[in-house]
Amino acid sequence: MKNNNSKYIQSAGLVILFAFATFIVSAQTISTTIDKKDILIGEHISYKIKIDLPSSEYKIFVQIPDSITHFDIIEKGVGTISIKEGRNIWEQKVIFTSFDSGEFTFPSFACTLSHATIASKILFTDSFKINVGYMPTDSTGTPRDIKTIIEVEYFNWLWVIIAASILIFLLVLFLILRYLRSRKKQLPAIQSFQAFKDAMKSLDTLRKANEEGTIPTKEYHTKLADVLKVYYSRASKQNILNKTTEEVLEKLKFHALKAETASTTLQALQTGDATKFAKYNPSFAENELALNYLRNTIEEIEQLRHQKK
């Protein structure tokens, strides 16, 4: 009797366990939704998979391919399980679009449900008809003018750069020529014949004093150099009275004196410098020679003045 009771108990337990397992398996439901079925080319569609699970111990794998005919998967998303109103809800969101116009079927996907103590189960999502079209035409039928192509104004800066370069070149050239002309005007241009006459008279006076021995040697050479400087200052309207021997010779270079004249002028002035600063005592002949040298210098400058007129 006891054996019969234990058999009944075992059989009842198996029936209850089988019924519970059947309940657990049958409690797994899947649903799919999309936010739109009519789209324009390139417009996104939100596709959501939702599975109602009896517990959170399930692992879900959805077989979504990387490419589907007429459709492009933008984002597959990640499946997550959350508890909503006491139920375990698994959800995954997929974003896709299409760049082909027409009506196409978005296919069904296999979803594998696995559990540590229960056999795996495969559920399938729903398929959908998707209508892909272009931008709808204007239903008002209002005619519109055909507009010509608008020409874009293009300003070529190359010609501006070329023109600016030419202007700068001309300006620089003008300034250079102006400088050269002003420099030419600044060159000594002897203008007074009276200065020449006075210089010759002063030289005659110095010659007579030298011959008579009535003038000291140092004073003689000082006045001799002053005759040249006074003549040049008056004739050229440039004050060179305080110029040194080297500075006076630099001024005389502007008149293109003969090489011999330039050399003798230097010799006469250096003799005067030696007399004034080195206590050199030249002879009567050297004094006379220095005077003749400076006379020749003044006469050549005067001659060059007449040639320029």
Side-chain angles (χ1 to χ4, degrees), residues 27-29 50-58 60 80-91:
Q28 301 161 354
T29 59
K50 181 179 178 181
I51 301 177
D52 194 342
L53 299 172
S55 70
S56 61
E57 298 177 357
Y58 281 87
I60 314 299
T80 57
I81 296 179
S82 60
I83 299 176
K84 295 181 180 180
E85 298 179 357
R87 297 184 302 164
N88 296 286
I89 306 298
W90 180 92
E91 291 179 319

Side-chain angles (χ1 to χ4, degrees), residues 97-237:
T97 187
S98 177
F99 295 97
D100 299 329
S101 62
E103 186 180 65
F104 309 109
T105 300
F106 191 76
S108 174
F109 301 132
C111 299
T112 302
L113 285 67
S114 61
H115 193 277
T117 58
I118 303 175
S120 298
K121 183 177 181 179
I122 298 177
L123 303 177
F124 293 92
T125 63
D126 296 329
S127 60
F128 295 94
K129 289 286 185 180
I130 305 295
N131 183 36
V132 183
Y134 293 98
M135 183 70 69
T137 58
D138 188 358
S139 60
T140 61
T142 305
R144 289 176 171 80
D145 295 333
I146 299 176
K147 297 183 178 180
T148 59
I149 298 175
I150 299 176
E151 295 184 1
V152 178
E153 294 184 1
Y154 173 73
F155 190 79
N156 192 347
W157 285 97
L158 177 62
W159 293 109
V160 176
I161 295 174
I162 293 175
S165 301
I166 294 174
L167 290 176
I168 292 174
F169 171 76
L170 293 176
L171 179 60
V172 172
L173 182 61
F174 169 76
L175 293 176
I176 292 175
L177 293 176
R178 184 178 179 181
Y179 169 75
L180 293 177
R181 289 178 181 176
S182 62
R183 183 179 179 184
K184 186 176 181 181
K185 291 180 180 179
Q186 291 174 0
L187 296 179
I190 300 174
Q191 301 172 356
S192 176
F193 181 69
Q194 185 62 40
F196 174 75
K197 292 174 61 177
D198 292 343
M200 294 298 104
K201 184 177 179 181
S202 297
L203 290 176
D204 291 339
T205 301
L206 285 174
R207 182 188 299 276
K208 184 177 179 181
N210 183 50
E211 292 175 348
E212 295 175 351
T214 57
I215 185 171
T217 303
K218 182 177 180 181
E219 183 182 350
Y220 171 83
H221 282 278
T222 300
K223 289 186 176 182
L224 190 61
D226 288 342
V227 171
L228 175 62
K229 293 180 180 181
V230 170
Y231 162 75
Y232 192 87
S233 297
R234 291 179 60 191
S236 65
K237 296 183 179 180

Side-chain angles (χ1 to χ4, degrees), residues 234-285:
R234 291 179 60 191
S236 65
K237 296 183 179 180
Q238 296 184 58
N239 186 2
I240 64 168
L241 296 178
N242 297 322
K243 300 294 183 182
T244 63
T245 297
E246 290 75 12
E247 292 172 337
V248 171
L249 292 174
E250 285 294 325
K251 290 288 185 180
L252 297 180
K253 285 181 180 180
F254 289 117
H255 301 285
L257 297 175
K258 296 177 182 179
E260 182 181 357
T261 304
S263 177
T264 55
T265 303
L266 175 62
Q267 183 179 342
L269 294 176
Q270 285 181 339
T271 300
D273 290 342
T275 302
K276 289 183 288 185
F277 304 113
K279 297 183 179 181
Y280 175 68
N281 189 19
S283 63
F284 172 82

